[in-house]
Amino acid sequence: MHILFVNGTFPQPSQTFVVDQMRFARRAGHRITIFSKRYNRTLAEDQTNDLADLVIHDRPRDRATLSRLASGLSRRPEQVARYYSRRRVDRLHLSDLVCALQVDGEPDAILANFGQNGIVAARIKQAFFPRARLAVIFHGYDVSAYVAANGWEGYRRAAPAIDLAIAVNRKWAELLSANTPLRNVVVHHLGVDLERVGKRSGPVADRRFTILFVGRMVEKKGLAVLIAALTQLRAMGRDIELRVIGDGPKEADYRAMTAAAGLTDIVTFMGSRPHADVLDEMGRCDCLALPSLTGPDGDQEGIPVTLMEAMAAGLPVVSTYHSGIPELVSNEETGLLVPERDATALAAALTRLIDDPTLARRLAANARRHVAANFNADTQNQALLELVLGTREYKAPSVTGEVAMPNLQGSLD
């Protein structure tokens, strides 16, 4: 089967799950084409060089792109005619035609991660590949801040072309079902590669308690709340350290906040790091704190993959009752959850992990078993692939009510 992946920018350092889906489909024997409106060549050479021959893109318009366009024009001139005849009715962009001319043959399925890319994919399907099955995965920003800014109209307009809408948590499934005519809305969780993540050996003795934060420097990740909690912990005389991985628009603000609180000697801003470095840090630190919250623009998480990876590594986690996080983390069972924006509650949860190593070990062991049973990348990607291709009849779980906890008995090496 031929699968066309539609992306805005490819690759992106925070979207390793997108690359994992592509690699899994390729290993499964499917032919894949990766379309990106913007190609990040520098990052691609470092992280996705094995997929380079499968990528087509609009920008930059390099020699290879122009050659593919010329070939497409000679082989498929009807695509240009379709573009001009349907440009207004389907609201086509020139980049849609650029994609269609470069795709070799007709895709059997189209997969778009994030709703905005799903709107693009719907236009491409309607105008150029009407027989392809289109699946769109909705993650977080696309069902929160994007909708707050743009409304539901784009998704409503794209809905007739979308065969399957996949929500990464139950809240998004409810919102999509209530506000759009999208059919076949299902909940499907992402997964992580347990073998690649590895298992942490345990905390290092005779060393200050080290907290890890991984995330973009945007308000919804809650770093400001974590810095405030750290201030409280230091005032209590706790011997702690915070290691921060990530960059983004609010980095200068957070550095200034750290300096104003007198925490520069215990907070290390590491910048954006390769995924392998993030996993190494998970192996060295004592817990991961991700106090996610709803941003001022309405931006929310889906279910953060960073939390899944930390839990898979056997690293205790502290997070919040936010969006789909309780579908991954069960308070007191597989981690600790606190209310959004509550620095005092966050400090109290971190204090419990500092003071009670037995609790930390129990939560970490339960978390690893939970991820292995319910968020395993191979299992989840296989199910996703079957959904996208229409070979699995997926019975979506109820999108209301409590989330059932897995059996946490037994052991996992």
Side-chain angles (χ1 to χ4, degrees):
M1 303 285 274
H2 182 188
I3 305 173
L4 172 64
F5 289 83
V6 174
N7 307 270
T9 298
F10 177 82
Q12 294 199 54
S14 61
Q15 296 177 11
T16 55
F17 56 89
V18 174
V19 178
D20 287 346
Q21 292 166 9
M22 295 168 178
R23 287 176 173 149
F24 186 89
R26 192 183 190 188
R27 288 198 305 272
H30 298 287
R31 178 186 167 206
I32 72 170
T33 299
I34 302 165
F35 171 67
S36 177
K37 295 183 74 170
R38 293 166 297 279
Y39 188 41
N40 189 338
R41 191 180 303 280
T42 300
L43 188 60
E45 289 174 352
D46 182 50
Q47 297 187 12
T48 60
N49 199 45
D50 58 313
L51 300 174
D53 292 342
L54 308 174
V55 178
I56 59 176
H57 51 86
D58 182 18
R59 302 289 180 177
R61 298 269 176 85
D62 54 21
R63 182 174 297 179
T65 298
L66 295 175
S67 176
R68 286 191 296 264
L69 287 173
S71 176
L73 282 167
S74 65
R75 290 183 294 107
R76 306 284 297 277
E78 72 278 5
Q79 301 289 42
V80 179
R82 286 186 192 176
Y83 171 75
Y84 282 105
S85 67
R86 304 189 58 142
R87 182 174 52 176
R88 294 187 183 281
V89 66
D90 288 337
R91 305 190 186 195
L92 294 175
H93 296 192
L94 183 59
S95 61
D96 303 334
L97 175 63
V98 169
C99 170
L101 288 174
Q102 293 183 79
V103 174
D104 183 11
E106 298 274 341
D108 298 291
I110 304 173
L111 174 59
N113 276 280
F114 302 97
Q116 311 95 296
N117 296 330
I119 293 173
V120 176
R123 295 197 307 259
I124 291 171
K125 170 183 171 172
Q126 287 171 321
F128 305 111
F129 307 121
R131 290 188 295 274
R133 176 178 168 84
L134 173 57
V136 180
I137 306 177
F138 294 84
H139 290 268
Y141 172 87
D142 49 358
V143 201
S144 55
Y146 176 85
V147 170
N150 301 283
W152 293 98
E153 182 55 32
Y155 297 153
R156 291 169 180 161
R157 193 167 57 246
I162 298 174
D163 299 285
L164 182 69
I166 301 170
V168 301
N169 65 40
R170 295 180 178 185
K171 179 178 182 178
W172 300 155
E174 290 177 335
L175 286 172
L176 290 166
S177 295
N179 292 283
T180 76
L182 285 163
R183 58 193 186 280
N184 298 329
V185 178
V186 301
V187 179
H188 178 80
H189 293 145
L190 301 179
V192 294
D193 185 337
L194 272 78
E195 183 176 343
R196 181 173 63 193
V197 171
K199 184 181 179 183
R200 159 179 175 270
S201 58
V204 178
D206 301 323
R207 186 205 63 187
R208 63 175 34 162
F209 189 89
T210 304
I211 303 163
L212 177 65
F213 171 92
V214 180
R216 284 263 299 153
M217 299 291 176
V218 293
E219 188 162 347
K220 78 171 178 181
K221 295 296 183 179
L223 182 55
V225 181
L226 180 54
I227 293 170
L230 213 66
T231 303
Q232 295 184 27
L233 290 171
R234 184 158 208 188
M236 295 162 54
R238 298 293 181 174
D239 189 19
I240 51 175
E241 174 185 2
L242 173 63
R243 297 176 70 78
V244 177
I245 295 179
D247 58 16
K250 293 187 70 66
E251 181 174 352
D253 294 341
Y254 294 141
R255 287 180 178 271
M257 190 182 302
T258 300
L263 301 175
T264 54
D265 60 322
I266 62 170
V267 178
T268 303
F269 287 88
M270 304 174 65
S272 180
R273 309 289 295 184
H275 189 231
D277 290 358
V278 174
L279 298 181
D280 286 345
E281 287 295 325
M282 287 181 178
R284 286 194 286 264
C285 293
D286 295 287
C287 79
L288 178 115
L290 187 63
S292 300
L293 51 86
T294 300
D297 59 352
D299 193 10
Q300 295 184 21
E301 305 273 20
I303 299 180
V305 174
T306 295
L307 276 175
M308 295 182 200
E309 290 181 333
M311 294 167 70
L315 183 65
V317 300
V318 179
S319 192
T320 52
Y321 290 102
H322 169 83
S323 189
I325 289 175
E327 294 178 37
L328 171 67
V329 183
S330 178
N331 187 43
E332 302 286 347
E333 291 291 335
T334 59
L336 298 177
L337 296 177
V338 300
E340 292 184 25
R341 301 180 185 272
D342 192 334
T344 299
L346 180 59
L350 291 168
T351 298
R352 290 183 64 194
L353 294 182
I354 296 169
D355 291 344
D356 191 347
T358 300
L359 170 66
R361 287 192 295 270
R362 177 177 67 81
L363 294 176
N366 283 351
R368 182 168 165 81
R369 282 192 285 268
H370 177 38
V371 171
N374 299 279
F375 296 86
N376 183 300
D378 283 347
T379 302
Q380 296 306 101
N381 281 333
Q382 178 61 41
L384 175 65
L385 190 60
E386 293 172 3
L387 283 171
V388 171
L389 296 175
T391 58
R392 167 183 287 239
E393 184 178 345
Y394 192 91
K395 185 177 181 181
S398 169
V399 295
T400 59
E402 296 294 322
V403 179
M405 281 299 300
N407 181 359
L408 298 176
Q409 302 301 313
S411 63
L412 177 71
D413 294 330

